């Protein structure tokens, strides 16, 4: 079966510090992978998606970047966090039948 | 901008009541998803629809493509149904971009 792992679950980071969130998928190959963010009181927003190794598309210009070093690994990064980066970050992948599976999410608080 | 509108934003009901949550969207879609977000933040996919109606246990999801509208129903509601229910659509037009999300309906079922 296909599973998606995301870590860490919670993170408190000071302003200006770097960020690295990791997401890995099992049980599938060449998945489309997505990073979403949910800010307080707002809906989920697509940040990045990737259709393959090294292929990243950005939906929203911001302080974040994404990388896909391996087929089933998707990383969200920042060199210097801002207060506005606080939120709930979700990784997701889509199967060929348009079914979405979400990771458990990372709650990031920038202080 | 293509948007997804959900109603109501908040809903409090008594255990056993029949619950309806509505979702409307603006242009053609290839699929519509109903998601459940638990208090801890994790998201579970409930349904994926492109036409008609689907049922799983006490949950029923319907979609009317002509009216660009979908409903999620919960029969014999129970306190464990308390969660945020999110409607999300994948707009037609191809590409590997992800979902557009509604802001969610916060449901509380009181015993």
């Amino acid at each position: 079966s296909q599973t998606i792992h995301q870590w860490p679950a919670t993170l408190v980071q000071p302003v200006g510090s770097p960020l690295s969130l990791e997401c890995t998928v099992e049980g599938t190959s060449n998945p489309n992978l997505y990073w979403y963010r949910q800010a307080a009181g707002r809906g989920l927003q697509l940040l990045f998606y990737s259709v393959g190794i090294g292929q990243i598309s950005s939906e929203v210009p911001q302080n974040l970047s994404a990388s896909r070093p391996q087929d089933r690994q998707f990383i969200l990064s920042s060199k210097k966090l801002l207060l506005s980066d606080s939120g709930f970050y979700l990784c997701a992948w889509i199967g060929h039948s348009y079914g979405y599976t979400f990771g458990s999410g990372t709650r990031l608080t920038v202080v | 901008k293509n948007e997804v509108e959900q109603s109501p934003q908040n809903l409090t009901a008594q255990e056993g009541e029949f619950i309806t949550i509505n979702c409307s969207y603006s242009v053609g879609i290839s699929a519509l998803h109903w998601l459940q977000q638990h208090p801890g933040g994790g998201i579970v996919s409930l349904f994926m629809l492109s036409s008609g109606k689907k049922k799983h246990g006490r949950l029923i999801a319907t979609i009317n493509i002509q009216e660009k509208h979908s409903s999620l129903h919960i029969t014999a509601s129970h306190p464990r149904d308390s969660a945020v229910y999110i409607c999300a659509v994948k707009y037609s037009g191809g590409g590997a971009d992800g979902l557009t999300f509604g802001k969610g309906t916060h449901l509380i079922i009181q015993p």
Side-chain angles (χ1 to χ4, degrees), chain A residues 34 36 38 43-44 46 49 51 88 90 97-100 102 104 107, chain B residues 33 35 37 40-43 45 48 90 96-99 101-103:
Chain A
Y34 304 84
Y36 292 95
Q38 185 179 42
L44 284 155
L46 178 64
Y49 67 92
V51 299
F88 188 63
L90 281 159
S97 60
Y98 286 104
Y100 277 83
F102 290 87
S104 54
R107 191 163 300 281
Chain B
H33 299 253
L35 311 169
Q37 186 169 28
I43 292 182
S45 179
M48 182 180 70
K90 188 175 191 321
D97 56 309
L99 301 171
F101 295 83
K103 292 184 179 178

Side-chain angles (χ1 to χ4, degrees), chain A residues 31-53:
Chain A
N32 288 349
L33 296 174
Y34 304 84
W35 277 111
Y36 292 95
R37 178 172 63 195
Q38 185 179 42
R42 302 182 66 179
L44 284 155
Q45 179 186 41
L46 178 64
L47 300 176
F48 300 95
Y49 67 92
S50 171
V51 299
I53 296 173

Side-chain angles (χ1 to χ4, degrees), chain A residues 3-57:
Chain A
T3 57
I4 185 167
H5 301 280
Q6 188 180 340
W7 67 92
T10 59
L11 194 57
V12 180
Q13 291 283 97
V15 169
S17 64
L19 173 74
S20 180
L21 303 181
E22 189 163 342
C23 170
T24 59
V25 180
E26 294 179 0
T28 185
S29 59
N30 197 32
N32 288 349
L33 296 174
Y34 304 84
W35 277 111
Y36 292 95
R37 178 172 63 195
Q38 185 179 42
R42 302 182 66 179
L44 284 155
Q45 179 186 41
L46 178 64
L47 300 176
F48 300 95
Y49 67 92
S50 171
V51 299
I53 296 173
Q55 301 180 62
I56 307 295
S57 295

Side-chain angles (χ1 to χ4, degrees), chain B residues 38-54:
Chain B
H38 299 289
I43 292 182
V44 174
S45 179
L46 298 176
F47 296 103
M48 182 180 70
L49 295 165
S50 56
S51 64
K53 174 181 174 180
K54 287 190 176 180

